[in-house]
Amino acid sequence: MGFVVGLVIGLIFGLGLIVAFVRSENARSKQRSDLATTIAAFARMKVEDSRKLLSPEYYPSWVVFSQLQKLTWLNLHLEKIWPYVNEAASELIKANVEPMLEQYKPVILASLTFSKLTLGTVAPQFTGVSIIEDGTEGITMELEMQWDGNPSIILDIKTYLGVALPVQVKDIGFTGVFRLMFRPLVDELPCFGAVCFSLRKKKKLDFKLKVIGGDISTIPGLSDAIESMIRDAVEDSITWPVRKIIPILPGDYSDLELKPVGILEVKLVQAKELTNKDMIGKSDPYAVLYVRPLRDRMKKSRTINNQLNPVWNEHFEFVIEDASTQHLVIKIYDDEGVQSSELIGCAQLQLSDLEPGKVKDMWLKLVKDLEIQRDNKNRGQVQLELLYIPNGMENGFTNPFTQKFSMTSLEKVLKSGTEGKEVVENGGEAKRREVIVRGVLSVTVISAEDLTPGDLMGKADPYVVLILKKTESKNKTRVVNDSLNPVWNQTFDFVVEDGLHDMLILEVWDHDTFGKDYMGRCILTLTRVILEGEYKDTFPLDGAKTGTLNLNLKWNPQPIYRDS
């Protein structure tokens, strides 16, 4: 009997093991099948699919999605014909570049010519090509090129001191993107009228200068002057939006030439929380702004000493040639006196992000390098007011004060007529008249919220000091005792003599019996209230952990005019 029971139990246990094993194998088979299906789905994924799954901030910095197509075939053929390209291009480059260098030569040089120019034995490599859909008639193509060549370039330099120096340009490294435009399209072979080419983006341009048989440092400043000359020549002669036009078919191609398309008005307001670059004291910051990095088109602010929260309130104007691709660059430096200035941080803004005719007030985060935007270190922020005015928009850009004048720029603001000129009735010479934006600014300090406690009891006795920067006119509210959310509802009037060049500073203080404690501030330009007439808004306090101010601003214009 025991044997039978044992046999039955053994059979049941064995069958159980068999069933469990089969089920386990089926589950593993299903898992492998699901995994294979998932891998196959990933294999079919396109770049657009991966972008939908993960937003860009989740990718490591080395992951780059490129739209470029490879050009291995072109590089192979270029290597074969490079010796012939070198012979043909060397003389062509020499003939075209020498007049350009003469134009940009430093004042300390009497003459500058090529005594030797060959492109060497290393051909450039085209790393990719893309077709640009810019909505214009024609075909636009961009080629990315990299060249670490071994050219033989010797400049014959003569100074006004009678010194002649053969300077060798060596160790050239270049990476950039060239743009080719085939337009207009025509019904005659080769189906386009002209080719435009330009250096769309200069990613890297490195080279060294060496005096043959001598030391270039024997003439102080010569190396920097020659290097600046070469970079300026490249920037101003071929870098986008400058373009070279090669007619293919007879015709008028003046519409393809570089022309100004508008004006960008920039007000550099302030910066805050800048990185301190000095071991003793604080940095002495100043700003450099440009759209095209040419020496005569770069703007520099004044230096504000020993300050990490500088207020500039300075205006600059830039000519724009292509609003769809150009950008504004701002770099903040620490002035080191006779030594080279040290970069604190930089930022850039695409002009395509601006709405024409609308003032945009914005804070830009400073980064170490414009090419590497993922900078987690806090280097500070800079505040700008920007206004882009395309050509031909002035007549419709109405002055909020009167219908007889139009606003053509943020800095000069209001000018008589579209050209800012007035014809004298007796037939005399036309005079330029500038409108001085004069008026009365009414500021209502409504309340504050969530102020930082100023004493051990977790309370404060806050009041607000209002300062008009240019005239240093001051007013202050009453003190509200024991409150972190005070309500004032007090109105103050300021007579403003020059609205677009003035600022309103509001400082919040904690009143104490034996003094006062700083609780934060906000700085406002008058541009918005001048344009809108009146507005109500909430402003965060700078220099405080928490806290906001609720304000109402109203502008009563009283414009006056002066001849300039």
Side-chain angles (χ1 to χ4, degrees):
M1 186 66 181
F3 173 75
V4 174
V5 172
L7 181 62
V8 172
I9 294 174
L11 288 174
I12 294 174
F13 182 74
L15 290 174
L17 286 177
I18 293 173
V19 171
F21 178 76
V22 171
R23 294 189 63 179
S24 173
E25 286 298 308
N26 290 339
R28 291 180 61 187
S29 176
K30 186 177 184 304
Q31 289 179 349
R32 288 194 296 268
S33 177
D34 292 343
L35 181 60
T37 302
T38 303
I39 294 175
F42 273 108
R44 291 192 297 270
M45 278 180 59
K46 298 181 180 179
V47 172
E48 292 75 13
D49 299 323
S50 62
R51 286 178 174 170
K52 292 177 182 178
L53 288 175
L54 288 174
S55 55
E57 59 266 21
Y58 293 106
Y59 290 103
S61 58
W62 46 266
V63 174
V64 177
F65 293 106
S66 176
Q67 299 291 335
L68 299 177
Q69 300 179 25
K70 301 301 181 182
L71 290 171
T72 306
W73 62 272
L74 179 59
N75 293 324
L76 292 174
H77 286 79
L78 185 59
E79 289 179 1
K80 292 181 181 178
I81 65 172
W82 182 247
Y84 307 99
V85 173
N86 178 28
E87 291 292 333
S90 295
E91 288 300 321
L92 182 63
I93 293 174
K94 184 177 180 181
N96 285 273
V97 173
E98 265 191 0
M100 195 182 306
L101 295 180
E102 186 69 21
Q103 177 184 350
Y104 292 96
K105 73 178 182 183
V107 293
I108 62 175
L109 300 183
S111 66
L112 191 154
T113 57
F114 286 106
S115 61
K116 183 178 181 182
L117 193 154
T118 61
L119 299 180
T121 58
V122 179
Q125 295 289 304
F126 290 96
T127 56
V129 61
S130 61
I131 303 298
I132 307 300
E133 299 292 342
D134 53 7
T136 60
E137 180 187 356
I139 299 173
T140 302
M141 177 187 303
E142 289 190 350
L143 293 164
E144 186 174 279
M145 190 187 84
Q146 180 177 342
W147 186 42
D148 295 309
N150 59 346
S152 179
I153 303 175
I154 299 177
L155 298 171
D156 187 11
I157 294 175
K158 294 181 180 179
T159 68
Y160 286 105
L161 301 176
V163 179
L165 296 172
V167 177
Q168 182 181 13
V169 183
K170 55 183 296 187
D171 297 339
I172 295 179
F174 171 79
T175 302
V177 178
F178 285 91
R179 172 171 285 195
L180 299 177
M181 296 180 291
F182 304 88
R183 61 182 63 164
L185 300 180
V186 295
D187 56 0
E188 179 181 353
L189 289 176
C191 299
F192 53 86
V195 177
C196 303
F197 69 92
S198 175
L199 178 58
R200 173 67 180 84
K201 185 184 297 183
K202 182 173 77 252
K203 295 184 177 181
K204 183 185 78 169
L205 177 57
D206 296 330
F207 55 87
K208 294 181 180 178
L209 301 174
K210 178 184 178 182
V211 173
I212 299 177
D215 186 359
I216 197 169
S217 62
T218 54
I219 301 181
L222 180 60
S223 177
D224 291 340
I226 296 175
E227 181 174 342
S228 297
M229 174 200 66
I230 294 174
R231 295 187 185 278
D232 283 353
V234 171
E235 184 68 36
D236 200 24
S237 62
I238 194 175
T239 303
W240 183 264
V242 178
R243 72 287 306 265
K244 298 295 183 182
I245 303 173
I246 304 175
I248 304 298
L249 299 175
D252 179 15
Y253 303 110
S254 59
D255 59 319
L256 300 179
E257 296 175 356
L258 179 66
K259 298 176 183 177
V261 297
I263 296 294
L264 176 67
E265 296 288 341
V266 180
K267 177 184 282 188
L268 173 64
V269 182
Q270 62 175 322
K272 65 179 181 180
E273 301 173 2
L274 296 180
T275 302
N276 191 8
K277 294 292 185 178
D278 291 347
M279 297 293 293
I280 301 175
K282 298 177 181 178
S283 297
D284 308 314
Y286 69 90
V288 175
L289 302 92
Y290 61 85
V291 174
R292 293 180 61 193
L294 297 171
R295 280 178 293 178
D296 59 342
R297 297 182 66 168
M298 299 173 75
K299 312 294 185 181
K300 180 181 176 182
S301 74
R302 69 183 186 277
T303 300
I304 299 181
N305 295 323
N306 200 37
Q307 182 60 258
L308 299 180
N309 298 283
V311 178
W312 289 287
N313 195 36
E314 296 186 48
H315 290 76
F316 305 100
E317 184 176 284
F318 299 93
V319 176
I320 304 302
E321 290 98 353
D322 187 355
S324 63
T325 59
Q326 287 184 293
H327 51 263
L328 173 71
V329 175
I330 176 170
K331 297 184 177 182
I332 309 295
Y333 292 92
D334 176 22
D335 190 349
E336 298 289 352
V338 295
Q339 300 179 4
S340 298
S341 298
E342 187 174 0
L343 179 67
I344 296 176
C346 52
Q348 70 177 3
L349 170 76
Q350 297 291 335
L351 301 188
S352 57
D353 294 338
L354 300 178
E355 183 179 353
K358 298 292 185 181
V359 176
K360 187 168 186 177
D361 186 335
M362 61 192 313
W363 286 90
L364 298 178
K365 181 179 180 294
L366 297 177
V367 296
K368 183 179 180 180
D369 191 333
L370 294 176
E371 297 296 328
I372 305 174
Q373 291 295 322
R374 296 180 187 180
D375 189 348
N376 295 324
K377 183 177 179 180
N378 181 26
R379 303 177 188 276
Q381 300 179 66
V382 60
Q383 183 186 10
L384 303 174
E385 276 186 357
L386 304 121
L387 172 63
Y388 172 60
I389 311 170
N391 291 345
M393 188 178 184
E394 291 87 348
N395 290 334
F397 195 29
T398 307
N399 161 23
F401 311 122
T402 170
Q403 297 299 320
K404 294 192 298 181
F405 296 90
S406 59
M407 185 158 77
T408 57
S409 75
L410 191 59
E411 182 179 3
K412 299 174 183 175
V413 196
L414 306 169
K415 296 180 181 178
S416 175
T418 57
E419 296 297 328
K421 294 183 178 180
E422 177 189 33
V423 178
V424 181
E425 292 183 0
N426 60 7
E429 184 180 0
K431 293 183 178 180
R432 181 177 295 275
R433 302 179 71 203
E434 292 187 4
V435 177
I436 308 305
V437 186
R438 184 178 185 273
V440 176
L441 174 67
S442 296
V443 183
T444 301
V445 184
I446 302 172
S447 62
E449 297 175 1
D450 198 22
L451 296 179
T452 303
D455 54 38
L456 296 177
M457 303 300 294
K459 294 290 184 179
D461 306 316
Y463 66 96
V464 180
V465 177
L466 300 88
I467 307 168
L468 200 61
K469 186 173 177 60
K470 291 192 73 173
T471 60
E472 297 185 354
S473 302
K474 292 186 179 181
N475 278 301
K476 68 177 182 178
T477 67
R478 66 180 181 274
V479 177
V480 177
N481 295 320
D482 296 330
S483 178
L484 299 180
N485 299 282
V487 177
W488 291 285
N489 278 322
Q490 289 183 258
T491 300
F492 305 92
D493 292 336
F494 294 91
V495 176
V496 181
E497 298 294 338
D498 191 1
L500 286 184
H501 296 83
D502 215 335
M503 306 180 78
L504 178 66
I505 302 174
L506 299 102
E507 298 177 343
V508 182
W509 295 87
D510 176 22
H511 180 269
D512 289 330
T513 305
F514 301 104
K516 57 183 181 179
D517 296 321
Y518 180 71
M519 302 184 70
R521 72 175 182 181
C522 60
I523 299 176
L524 307 177
T525 65
L526 307 187
T527 308
R528 181 179 173 187
V529 70
I530 290 173
L531 292 176
E532 297 183 12
E534 183 177 4
Y535 72 91
K536 180 180 178 181
D537 208 342
T538 299
F539 301 92
L541 291 176
D542 291 331
K545 294 181 179 179
T546 59
T548 57
L549 269 181
N550 298 312
L551 305 173
N552 187 89
L553 284 81
K554 185 177 181 180
W555 177 257
N556 181 26
Q558 299 174 359
I560 59 175
Y561 309 95
R562 71 180 177 193
D563 293 333
S564 60

